[in-house]
């Protein structure tokens, strides 16, 4: 299943896998690449920021525990700096409260290791679909705002034209009705 990234109009969607365990990174990369995604990997928060600053990503698959930062710290900063980038948390921490907190902070999904292949793929596809809807909504909103600006400018021009015509009409008044105008 190859998904088009609507933001960049490029096939396939770009994913960044951030996990401190190399074997997990490679396994996630292989799984997601086999499903048609273009993947990059990072083992630390610093490596991930370097990747994010150099190229756009549609989604980040993010481990909860990273050297130098928690997944929550990374998620919070990511949502501020790259709000269009979706996040699916992948962690060994099977904790309902952490999952709820992650979603409240802006993660689209929370997958507990070990997970089934389809579980992760469904979470990633769902997050990318949500991103598509958000991007389409943003484009539609921009189009509507442009139309409102155009119609407002036309209405102002019409009002100005009416005022100028009324002023011109006032100059051609009849002497007998001048006091009424």
């Amino acid at each position: 299943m190859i998904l088009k990234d609507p933001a960049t109009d490029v096939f396939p969607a770009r994913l960044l896998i951030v996990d401190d365990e190399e074997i997990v990174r490679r396994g996630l990369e292989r799984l997601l690449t086999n499903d048609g995604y273009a993947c990059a990997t990072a083992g630390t928060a610093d490596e991930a920021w370097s990747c994010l600053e150099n190229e756009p990503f549609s989604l980040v698959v993010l481990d909860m525990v990273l050297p130098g930062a928690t997944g929550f710290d990374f998620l919070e900063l990511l949502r501020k700096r790259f709000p269009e980038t979706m996040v699916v948390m992948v962690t060994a921490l099977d904790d309902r409260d952490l999952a709820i907190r992650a979603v409240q902070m802006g993660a689209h999904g929370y997958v507990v290791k070990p997970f089934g292949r389809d579980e992760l793929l469904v979470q990633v596809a769902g997050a990318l679909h949500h991103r598509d809807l958000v991007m389409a909504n943003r484009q539609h909103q921009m189009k509507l705002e442009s139309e409102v600006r155009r119609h407002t400018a036309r209405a102002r021009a019409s009002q100005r034209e009416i005022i100028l015509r009324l002023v011109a009409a006032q100059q051609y008044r009849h002497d007998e009705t001048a006091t009424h105008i």
Side-chain angles (χ1 to χ4, degrees), residues 67-135:
T70 69
F72 287 132
D73 294 337
F74 191 90
L75 175 61
E76 183 176 24
L77 192 53
L78 179 73
R79 300 306 311 144
K80 288 177 185 173
R81 291 178 61 190
F82 303 97
E84 70 286 347
T85 302
M86 302 306 292
V87 175
V88 171
M89 303 292 291
V90 176
T91 180
L93 304 172
D94 188 4
D95 184 321
R96 180 179 170 266
D97 292 333
L98 289 178
I100 291 170
R101 182 175 171 209
V103 170
Q104 288 173 337
M105 290 180 67
H108 190 274
Y110 189 92
V111 180
V112 179
K113 299 174 193 172
F115 52 83
R117 173 188 175 277
D118 291 339
E119 182 181 0
L120 178 65
L121 294 176
V122 165
Q123 289 289 325
V124 168
L128 290 172
H129 179 68
H130 179 79
R131 181 177 184 272
D132 289 349
L133 294 174
V134 168
M135 301 293 279

Side-chain angles (χ1 to χ4, degrees), residues 30-46:
R30 188 172 44 257
L31 170 68
L32 294 166
T33 301
N34 287 342
D35 206 53
Y37 298 105
C39 298
T41 63
T44 66
D46 289 339

